[in-house]
Amino acid sequence: MSEINLADLIDNELKIYSKDVQTKLNDIVKSKAKKLKEKIQESSPVKTGKYKKGWTVKEDINGLGDVTATVYNKAKPQITHLIQNGHVTRDGGRVAGRDHISSNRDQIEEELIEDIKKAIGE
């Protein structure tokens, strides 16, 4: 009969738990990034529709298997800060900013933190 090493048993269970938690966290990050993209699109201004439709999510996986997601405007990235923060016009006037990125980001960030806490059992 082989001897069961308690340290090996614990190590194996921790690896299984760690992989399970990592999978849950990756799924949470992906879903929240998608939700953020949708919320930003909903609140984006529409002139031609190109800016509003240009929002996308880029997911990357690092060497440890962790997912990172970036929400950005692929069609017109050069104007996101102008719309968000406002800008000066050619004739010296001013266009007010339209907060469609940071307010949505803050809301989704809070949801992300809560979902992560639930996933790890806090």
Side-chain angles (χ1 to χ4, degrees):
M1 186 176 219
S2 67
E3 190 175 307
I4 298 175
N5 185 342
L6 183 59
D8 290 340
L9 186 61
I10 291 171
D11 184 53
N12 189 43
E13 289 300 315
L14 286 174
K15 285 178 183 174
I16 292 169
Y17 172 77
S18 174
K19 189 70 173 166
D20 185 44
V21 169
Q22 182 181 37
T23 301
K24 287 178 185 177
L25 295 180
N26 288 348
D27 291 343
I28 291 169
V29 167
K30 289 177 186 179
S31 70
K32 292 302 173 184
K34 182 180 176 188
K35 185 175 180 180
L36 176 59
K37 180 195 88 131
E38 291 167 358
K39 290 187 76 62
I40 291 174
Q41 275 183 324
E42 288 172 9
S43 58
S44 289
V46 180
K47 187 173 182 180
T48 64
K50 189 173 181 180
Y51 177 76
K52 185 173 187 166
K53 292 177 188 173
W55 291 101
T56 189
V57 177
K58 179 182 177 188
E59 295 174 0
D60 290 315
I61 301 175
N62 70 10
L64 301 174
D66 297 325
V67 171
T68 59
T70 305
V71 178
Y72 68 101
N73 194 296
K74 190 174 186 177
K76 294 193 163 266
Q78 69 276 17
I79 65 170
T80 57
H81 70 285
L82 298 174
I83 295 172
Q84 177 73 19
N85 302 317
H87 58 90
V88 176
T89 61
R90 290 182 190 169
D91 63 359
R94 178 125 183 105
V95 175
R98 182 169 177 181
D99 184 11
H100 64 294
I101 299 171
S102 62
S103 59
N104 288 312
R105 181 204 58 224
D106 294 345
Q107 178 188 353
I108 298 299
E109 190 175 89
E110 288 176 19
E111 292 177 18
L112 176 68
I113 291 168
E114 288 303 313
D115 288 355
I116 288 172
K117 285 180 181 179
K118 288 177 190 172
I120 61 174
E122 277 192 18

